[in-house]
Amino acid sequence: GDSVTQMEGPVTLSEEAFLTINCTYTATGYPSLFWYVQYPGEGLQLLLKATKADDKGSNKGFEATYRKETTSFHLEKGSVQVSDSAVYFCALSDRQTGANNLFFGTGTRLTVIP
Amino acid sequence: DAGVTQSPTHLIKTRGQQVTLRCSPKSGHDTVSWYQQALGQGPQFIFQYYEEEERQRGNFPDRFSGHQFPNYSSELNVNALWLGDSALYLCASSLGLAGHNEQFFGPGTRLTVL
């Protein structure tokens, strides 16, 4: 079945540090991959996505590359800010199911300290 | 342009009771999905509605049922509540069923079962 395995947190970094959150997936078909972010007190928001192998999604300084050979979609940011503190979820949508429901990882809580 | 709205915001029920949660999709969207997010976990897919039909269902018992109305809004019903149903229930909407389409999430309904 479809599943997402995500690096567990929590992760605490100093401002301007480099961030990597690992995500690997298992899918029966050829999935689209997503990173969602949940800021404190807010709903889930799409951060970035990639729909085919070697695609790079990017937004707000965050990047992730769809690696089919390693079934991975790791999230990176070169210099984090305090405002990046949130919970990050890796997710996939398996196009073979005929629906676009999402399979989520367990989430990684990031705290950035000044 | 209103995003996805959900009601109520919070709800407290006792074991054995029934509950109905409501969702209005983002303007222009025709597909609604429901997710359950337990504390500290990623959202788990419950089911998805498109053209007033349940198109896909996750691993949830028949106590969980839903409906989509002609205006694309949706309800989630849970019968015979038990403690383990306490969670944040998220509604997401999208345009069509294509796997690469972004799903927009509402703020959720926090259900507490005592």
mmCIF file of all heavy atoms in Angstrom, chain B residues 15-50:
data_model
loop_
_atom_site.group_PDB
_atom_site.id
_atom_site.type_symbol
_atom_site.label_atom_id
_atom_site.label_comp_id
_atom_site.label_asym_id
_atom_site.label_seq_id
_atom_site.Cartn_x
_atom_site.Cartn_y
_atom_site.Cartn_z
ATOM 1 N N ARG B 15 -19.521 9.217 24.924
ATOM 2 C CA ARG B 15 -19.478 7.920 24.240
ATOM 3 C C ARG B 15 -20.872 7.447 23.848
ATOM 4 O O ARG B 15 -21.822 7.584 24.622
ATOM 5 C CB ARG B 15 -18.821 6.878 25.140
ATOM 6 C CG ARG B 15 -17.326 6.965 25.176
ATOM 7 C CD ARG B 15 -16.752 5.976 26.161
ATOM 8 N NE ARG B 15 -17.114 6.330 27.536
ATOM 9 C CZ ARG B 15 -16.814 5.608 28.601
ATOM 10 N NH1 ARG B 15 -16.169 4.474 28.446
ATOM 11 N NH2 ARG B 15 -17.164 5.990 29.795
ATOM 12 N N GLY B 16 -20.971 6.891 22.655
ATOM 13 C CA GLY B 16 -22.245 6.363 22.176
ATOM 14 C C GLY B 16 -23.081 7.361 21.397
ATOM 15 O O GLY B 16 -24.003 6.967 20.674
ATOM 16 N N GLN B 17 -22.760 8.647 21.532
ATOM 17 C CA GLN B 17 -23.527 9.654 20.808
ATOM 18 C C GLN B 17 -23.132 9.689 19.342
ATOM 19 O O GLN B 17 -22.195 9.025 18.895
ATOM 20 C CB GLN B 17 -23.312 11.036 21.441
ATOM 21 C CG GLN B 17 -24.036 11.226 22.749
ATOM 22 C CD GLN B 17 -23.978 12.672 23.211
ATOM 23 O OE1 GLN B 17 -22.925 13.299 23.258
ATOM 24 N NE2 GLN B 17 -25.135 13.222 23.553
ATOM 25 N N GLN B 18 -23.878 10.498 18.603
ATOM 26 C CA GLN B 18 -23.638 10.678 17.178
ATOM 27 C C GLN B 18 -23.266 12.139 16.931
ATOM 28 O O GLN B 18 -23.689 13.026 17.675
ATOM 29 C CB GLN B 18 -24.906 10.299 16.396
ATOM 30 C CG GLN B 18 -24.818 10.483 14.893
ATOM 31 C CD GLN B 18 -25.379 11.815 14.413
ATOM 32 O OE1 GLN B 18 -26.114 12.504 15.141
ATOM 33 N NE2 GLN B 18 -25.013 12.207 13.221
ATOM 34 N N VAL B 19 -22.476 12.385 15.890
ATOM 35 C CA VAL B 19 -22.059 13.745 15.599
ATOM 36 C C VAL B 19 -22.084 13.992 14.089
ATOM 37 O O VAL B 19 -21.871 13.066 13.296
ATOM 38 C CB VAL B 19 -20.639 14.012 16.163
ATOM 39 C CG1 VAL B 19 -19.586 13.209 15.409
ATOM 40 C CG2 VAL B 19 -20.305 15.485 16.133
ATOM 41 N N THR B 20 -22.374 15.229 13.707
ATOM 42 C CA THR B 20 -22.344 15.650 12.305
ATOM 43 C C THR B 20 -21.455 16.871 12.174
ATOM 44 O O THR B 20 -21.651 17.859 12.880
ATOM 45 C CB THR B 20 -23.743 15.981 11.778
ATOM 46 O OG1 THR B 20 -24.559 14.803 11.828
ATOM 47 C CG2 THR B 20 -23.676 16.472 10.340
ATOM 48 N N LEU B 21 -20.484 16.776 11.306
ATOM 49 C CA LEU B 21 -19.584 17.893 11.020
ATOM 50 C C LEU B 21 -19.854 18.377 9.605
ATOM 51 O O LEU B 21 -20.183 17.579 8.726
ATOM 52 C CB LEU B 21 -18.122 17.446 11.150
ATOM 53 C CG LEU B 21 -17.743 16.672 12.425
ATOM 54 C CD1 LEU B 21 -16.252 16.342 12.413
ATOM 55 C CD2 LEU B 21 -18.121 17.444 13.652
ATOM 56 N N ARG B 22 -19.645 19.674 9.397
ATOM 57 C CA ARG B 22 -19.998 20.266 8.108
ATOM 58 C C ARG B 22 -18.823 20.979 7.461
ATOM 59 O O ARG B 22 -17.953 21.515 8.165
ATOM 60 C CB ARG B 22 -21.178 21.226 8.276
ATOM 61 C CG ARG B 22 -22.458 20.507 8.704
ATOM 62 C CD ARG B 22 -23.609 21.440 8.968
ATOM 63 N NE ARG B 22 -24.826 20.681 9.276
ATOM 64 C CZ ARG B 22 -25.108 20.168 10.472
ATOM 65 N NH1 ARG B 22 -24.281 20.350 11.485
ATOM 66 N NH2 ARG B 22 -26.222 19.484 10.661
ATOM 67 N N CYS B 23 -18.857 21.008 6.145
ATOM 68 C CA CYS B 23 -17.749 21.591 5.382
ATOM 69 C C CYS B 23 -18.285 22.262 4.124
ATOM 70 O O CYS B 23 -19.097 21.672 3.392
ATOM 71 C CB CYS B 23 -16.757 20.498 5.003
ATOM 72 S SG CYS B 23 -15.478 21.008 3.838
ATOM 73 N N SER B 24 -17.808 23.481 3.875
ATOM 74 C CA SER B 24 -18.082 24.154 2.611
ATOM 75 C C SER B 24 -16.770 24.310 1.857
ATOM 76 O O SER B 24 -15.809 24.861 2.408
ATOM 77 C CB SER B 24 -18.702 25.530 2.859
ATOM 78 O OG SER B 24 -20.002 25.407 3.356
ATOM 79 N N PRO B 25 -16.696 23.818 0.638
ATOM 80 C CA PRO B 25 -15.428 23.866 -0.096
ATOM 81 C C PRO B 25 -15.090 25.268 -0.563
ATOM 82 O O PRO B 25 -15.932 26.169 -0.561
ATOM 83 C CB PRO B 25 -15.692 22.940 -1.286
ATOM 84 C CG PRO B 25 -17.163 23.021 -1.504
ATOM 85 C CD PRO B 25 -17.768 23.186 -0.142
ATOM 86 N N LYS B 26 -13.860 25.420 -0.963
ATOM 87 C CA LYS B 26 -13.410 26.668 -1.576
ATOM 88 C C LYS B 26 -14.236 26.909 -2.830
ATOM 89 O O LYS B 26 -14.601 25.967 -3.538
ATOM 90 C CB LYS B 26 -11.935 26.539 -1.912
ATOM 91 C CG LYS B 26 -11.271 27.751 -2.530
ATOM 92 C CD LYS B 26 -9.782 27.474 -2.750
ATOM 93 C CE LYS B 26 -9.123 28.522 -3.627
ATOM 94 N NZ LYS B 26 -9.147 29.855 -3.017
ATOM 95 N N SER B 27 -14.507 28.189 -3.099
ATOM 96 C CA SER B 27 -15.299 28.536 -4.257
ATOM 97 C C SER B 27 -14.703 27.950 -5.536
ATOM 98 O O SER B 27 -13.492 28.068 -5.787
ATOM 99 C CB SER B 27 -15.360 30.063 -4.369
ATOM 100 O OG SER B 27 -16.093 30.446 -5.511
ATOM 101 N N GLY B 28 -15.542 27.282 -6.317
ATOM 102 C CA GLY B 28 -15.084 26.693 -7.570
ATOM 103 C C GLY B 28 -14.638 25.249 -7.457
ATOM 104 O O GLY B 28 -14.413 24.586 -8.467
ATOM 105 N N HIS B 29 -14.503 24.752 -6.246
ATOM 106 C CA HIS B 29 -14.068 23.367 -6.047
ATOM 107 C C HIS B 29 -15.267 22.432 -5.983
ATOM 108 O O HIS B 29 -16.330 22.793 -5.475
ATOM 109 C CB HIS B 29 -13.255 23.237 -4.763
ATOM 110 C CG HIS B 29 -11.878 23.772 -4.891
ATOM 111 N ND1 HIS B 29 -10.957 23.680 -3.868
ATOM 112 C CD2 HIS B 29 -11.240 24.394 -5.914
ATOM 113 C CE1 HIS B 29 -9.817 24.222 -4.265
ATOM 114 N NE2 HIS B 29 -9.966 24.667 -5.498
ATOM 115 N N ASP B 30 -15.068 21.196 -6.485
ATOM 116 C CA ASP B 30 -16.167 20.248 -6.541
ATOM 117 C C ASP B 30 -15.884 18.942 -5.808
ATOM 118 O O ASP B 30 -16.730 18.052 -5.759
ATOM 119 C CB ASP B 30 -16.516 19.934 -7.999
ATOM 120 C CG ASP B 30 -15.318 19.431 -8.801
ATOM 121 O OD1 ASP B 30 -14.244 19.185 -8.204
ATOM 122 O OD2 ASP B 30 -15.453 19.299 -10.038
ATOM 123 N N THR B 31 -14.708 18.832 -5.242
ATOM 124 C CA THR B 31 -14.293 17.582 -4.592
ATOM 125 C C THR B 31 -13.968 17.870 -3.135
ATOM 126 O O THR B 31 -13.244 18.830 -2.839
ATOM 127 C CB THR B 31 -13.058 17.001 -5.298
ATOM 128 O OG1 THR B 31 -13.343 16.823 -6.687
ATOM 129 C CG2 THR B 31 -12.665 15.664 -4.685
ATOM 130 N N VAL B 32 -14.511 17.033 -2.254
ATOM 131 C CA VAL B 32 -14.294 17.221 -0.825
ATOM 132 C C VAL B 32 -13.751 15.933 -0.219
ATOM 133 O O VAL B 32 -14.265 14.837 -0.487
ATOM 134 C CB VAL B 32 -15.605 17.604 -0.102
ATOM 135 C CG1 VAL B 32 -15.396 17.622 1.402
ATOM 136 C CG2 VAL B 32 -16.095 18.968 -0.579
ATOM 137 N N SER B 33 -12.712 16.087 0.583
ATOM 138 C CA SER B 33 -12.121 14.956 1.295
ATOM 139 C C SER B 33 -12.161 15.251 2.782
ATOM 140 O O SER B 33 -12.040 16.403 3.195
ATOM 141 C CB SER B 33 -10.670 14.737 0.867
ATOM 142 O OG SER B 33 -10.580 14.526 -0.516
ATOM 143 N N TRP B 34 -12.269 14.186 3.571
ATOM 144 C CA TRP B 34 -12.253 14.314 5.033
ATOM 145 C C TRP B 34 -11.061 13.531 5.589
ATOM 146 O O TRP B 34 -10.752 12.423 5.125
ATOM 147 C CB TRP B 34 -13.542 13.750 5.627
ATOM 148 C CG TRP B 34 -14.742 14.620 5.416
ATOM 149 C CD1 TRP B 34 -15.641 14.556 4.386
ATOM 150 C CD2 TRP B 34 -15.189 15.679 6.265
ATOM 151 N NE1 TRP B 34 -16.622 15.515 4.538
ATOM 152 C CE2 TRP B 34 -16.365 16.217 5.690
ATOM 153 C CE3 TRP B 34 -14.727 16.242 7.462
ATOM 154 C CZ2 TRP B 34 -17.067 17.280 6.267
ATOM 155 C CZ3 TRP B 34 -15.419 17.289 8.035
ATOM 156 C CH2 TRP B 34 -16.580 17.796 7.437
ATOM 157 N N TYR B 35 -10.437 14.120 6.601
ATOM 158 C CA TYR B 35 -9.284 13.512 7.255
ATOM 159 C C TYR B 35 -9.468 13.593 8.765
ATOM 160 O O TYR B 35 -10.054 14.545 9.278
ATOM 161 C CB TYR B 35 -7.992 14.241 6.885
ATOM 162 C CG TYR B 35 -7.612 14.147 5.422
ATOM 163 C CD1 TYR B 35 -8.178 15.003 4.477
ATOM 164 C CD2 TYR B 35 -6.684 13.207 4.978
ATOM 165 C CE1 TYR B 35 -7.844 14.921 3.139
ATOM 166 C CE2 TYR B 35 -6.338 13.122 3.640
ATOM 167 C CZ TYR B 35 -6.915 13.984 2.724
ATOM 168 O OH TYR B 35 -6.566 13.887 1.400
ATOM 169 N N GLN B 36 -8.908 12.609 9.443
ATOM 170 C CA GLN B 36 -8.861 12.610 10.905
ATOM 171 C C GLN B 36 -7.413 12.799 11.337
ATOM 172 O O GLN B 36 -6.536 12.056 10.896
ATOM 173 C CB GLN B 36 -9.392 11.286 11.449
ATOM 174 C CG GLN B 36 -9.394 11.195 12.969
ATOM 175 C CD GLN B 36 -9.575 9.765 13.455
ATOM 176 O OE1 GLN B 36 -8.717 8.919 13.262
ATOM 177 N NE2 GLN B 36 -10.716 9.490 14.093
ATOM 178 N N GLN B 37 -7.167 13.779 12.203
ATOM 179 C CA GLN B 37 -5.815 14.016 12.695
ATOM 180 C C GLN B 37 -5.797 13.864 14.208
ATOM 181 O O GLN B 37 -6.251 14.744 14.945
ATOM 182 C CB GLN B 37 -5.306 15.402 12.291
ATOM 183 C CG GLN B 37 -3.848 15.630 12.655
ATOM 184 C CD GLN B 37 -3.318 16.985 12.198
ATOM 185 O OE1 GLN B 37 -4.069 17.888 11.866
ATOM 186 N NE2 GLN B 37 -1.996 17.130 12.182
ATOM 187 N N ALA B 38 -5.261 12.748 14.664
ATOM 188 C CA ALA B 38 -5.091 12.538 16.094
ATOM 189 C C ALA B 38 -3.933 13.401 16.584
ATOM 190 O O ALA B 38 -3.059 13.798 15.808
ATOM 191 C CB ALA B 38 -4.827 11.067 16.381
ATOM 192 N N LEU B 39 -3.920 13.667 17.876
ATOM 193 C CA LEU B 39 -2.905 14.545 18.455
ATOM 194 C C LEU B 39 -1.503 14.004 18.180
ATOM 195 O O LEU B 39 -1.216 12.838 18.431
ATOM 196 C CB LEU B 39 -3.142 14.644 19.962
ATOM 197 C CG LEU B 39 -2.511 15.845 20.671
ATOM 198 C CD1 LEU B 39 -3.051 17.145 20.095
ATOM 199 C CD2 LEU B 39 -2.762 15.767 22.158
ATOM 200 N N GLY B 40 -0.647 14.846 17.598
ATOM 201 C CA GLY B 40 0.723 14.461 17.338
ATOM 202 C C GLY B 40 0.922 13.560 16.132
ATOM 203 O O GLY B 40 2.020 13.038 15.926
ATOM 204 N N GLN B 41 -0.128 13.366 15.349
ATOM 205 C CA GLN B 41 -0.058 12.482 14.183
ATOM 206 C C GLN B 41 -0.362 13.245 12.896
ATOM 207 O O GLN B 41 -0.872 14.367 12.931
ATOM 208 C CB GLN B 41 -1.057 11.329 14.328
ATOM 209 C CG GLN B 41 -0.818 10.457 15.542
ATOM 210 C CD GLN B 41 0.506 9.736 15.460
ATOM 211 O OE1 GLN B 41 0.872 9.172 14.416
ATOM 212 N NE2 GLN B 41 1.262 9.756 16.548
ATOM 213 N N GLY B 42 -0.060 12.615 11.778
ATOM 214 C CA GLY B 42 -0.455 13.190 10.502
ATOM 215 C C GLY B 42 -1.911 12.869 10.210
ATOM 216 O O GLY B 42 -2.474 11.919 10.755
ATOM 217 N N PRO B 43 -2.536 13.653 9.349
ATOM 218 C CA PRO B 43 -3.937 13.382 8.983
ATOM 219 C C PRO B 43 -4.081 12.017 8.314
ATOM 220 O O PRO B 43 -3.226 11.609 7.529
ATOM 221 C CB PRO B 43 -4.261 14.511 7.996
ATOM 222 C CG PRO B 43 -3.282 15.594 8.318
ATOM 223 C CD PRO B 43 -2.030 14.885 8.732
ATOM 224 N N GLN B 44 -5.184 11.337 8.658
ATOM 225 C CA GLN B 44 -5.514 10.046 8.051
ATOM 226 C C GLN B 44 -6.764 10.221 7.199
ATOM 227 O O GLN B 44 -7.769 10.754 7.675
ATOM 228 C CB GLN B 44 -5.770 8.999 9.139
ATOM 229 C CG GLN B 44 -4.572 8.722 10.037
ATOM 230 C CD GLN B 44 -3.467 8.008 9.303
ATOM 231 O OE1 GLN B 44 -3.698 7.037 8.581
ATOM 232 N NE2 GLN B 44 -2.248 8.475 9.468
ATOM 233 N N PHE B 45 -6.705 9.738 5.976
ATOM 234 C CA PHE B 45 -7.798 9.889 5.018
ATOM 235 C C PHE B 45 -9.004 9.054 5.432
ATOM 236 O O PHE B 45 -8.875 7.853 5.686
ATOM 237 C CB PHE B 45 -7.300 9.477 3.635
ATOM 238 C CG PHE B 45 -8.367 9.433 2.574
ATOM 239 C CD1 PHE B 45 -8.955 10.595 2.114
ATOM 240 C CD2 PHE B 45 -8.749 8.221 2.026
ATOM 241 C CE1 PHE B 45 -9.923 10.556 1.124
ATOM 242 C CE2 PHE B 45 -9.710 8.165 1.040
ATOM 243 C CZ PHE B 45 -10.301 9.328 0.581
ATOM 244 N N ILE B 46 -10.180 9.706 5.454
ATOM 245 C CA ILE B 46 -11.414 8.992 5.787
ATOM 246 C C ILE B 46 -12.160 8.620 4.509
ATOM 247 O O ILE B 46 -12.384 7.443 4.237
ATOM 248 C CB ILE B 46 -12.326 9.851 6.695
ATOM 249 C CG1 ILE B 46 -11.584 10.236 7.974
ATOM 250 C CG2 ILE B 46 -13.612 9.070 7.031
ATOM 251 C CD1 ILE B 46 -12.366 11.194 8.871
ATOM 252 N N PHE B 47 -12.576 9.622 3.747
ATOM 253 C CA PHE B 47 -13.211 9.381 2.448
ATOM 254 C C PHE B 47 -13.230 10.657 1.628
ATOM 255 O O PHE B 47 -12.932 11.749 2.120
ATOM 256 C CB PHE B 47 -14.628 8.795 2.543
ATOM 257 C CG PHE B 47 -15.516 9.366 3.610
ATOM 258 C CD1 PHE B 47 -15.776 10.721 3.693
ATOM 259 C CD2 PHE B 47 -16.106 8.535 4.536
ATOM 260 C CE1 PHE B 47 -16.606 11.236 4.670
ATOM 261 C CE2 PHE B 47 -16.937 9.036 5.516
ATOM 262 C CZ PHE B 47 -17.185 10.382 5.582
ATOM 263 N N GLN B 48 -13.575 10.461 0.353
ATOM 264 C CA GLN B 48 -13.593 11.568 -0.600
ATOM 265 C C GLN B 48 -14.890 11.535 -1.392
ATOM 266 O O GLN B 48 -15.333 10.459 -1.811
ATOM 267 C CB GLN B 48 -12.408 11.475 -1.555
ATOM 268 C CG GLN B 48 -12.302 12.620 -2.553
ATOM 269 C CD GLN B 48 -11.043 12.529 -3.384
ATOM 270 O OE1 GLN B 48 -10.901 11.661 -4.238
ATOM 271 N NE2 GLN B 48 -10.097 13.427 -3.115
ATOM 272 N N TYR B 49 -15.465 12.716 -1.629
ATOM 273 C CA TYR B 49 -16.703 12.830 -2.378
ATOM 274 C C TYR B 49 -16.506 13.671 -3.626
ATOM 275 O O TYR B 49 -15.855 14.721 -3.609
ATOM 276 C CB TYR B 49 -17.798 13.465 -1.514
ATOM 277 C CG TYR B 49 -18.440 12.457 -0.592
ATOM 278 C CD1 TYR B 49 -17.879 12.165 0.642
ATOM 279 C CD2 TYR B 49 -19.579 11.764 -0.985
ATOM 280 C CE1 TYR B 49 -18.447 11.217 1.473
ATOM 281 C CE2 TYR B 49 -20.157 10.817 -0.157
ATOM 282 C CZ TYR B 49 -19.582 10.556 1.068
ATOM 283 O OH TYR B 49 -20.138 9.608 1.885
ATOM 284 N N TYR B 50 -17.099 13.172 -4.684
ATOM 285 C CA TYR B 50 -17.070 13.881 -5.972
ATOM 286 C C TYR B 50 -18.371 13.560 -6.683
ATOM 287 O O TYR B 50 -18.785 12.393 -6.715
ATOM 288 C CB TYR B 50 -15.862 13.426 -6.787
ATOM 289 C CG TYR B 50 -15.794 13.974 -8.196
ATOM 290 C CD1 TYR B 50 -15.491 15.312 -8.428
ATOM 291 C CD2 TYR B 50 -16.027 13.150 -9.296
ATOM 292 C CE1 TYR B 50 -15.421 15.814 -9.720
ATOM 293 C CE2 TYR B 50 -15.962 13.647 -10.585
ATOM 294 C CZ TYR B 50 -15.646 14.977 -10.789
ATOM 295 O OH TYR B 50 -15.580 15.480 -12.059
#
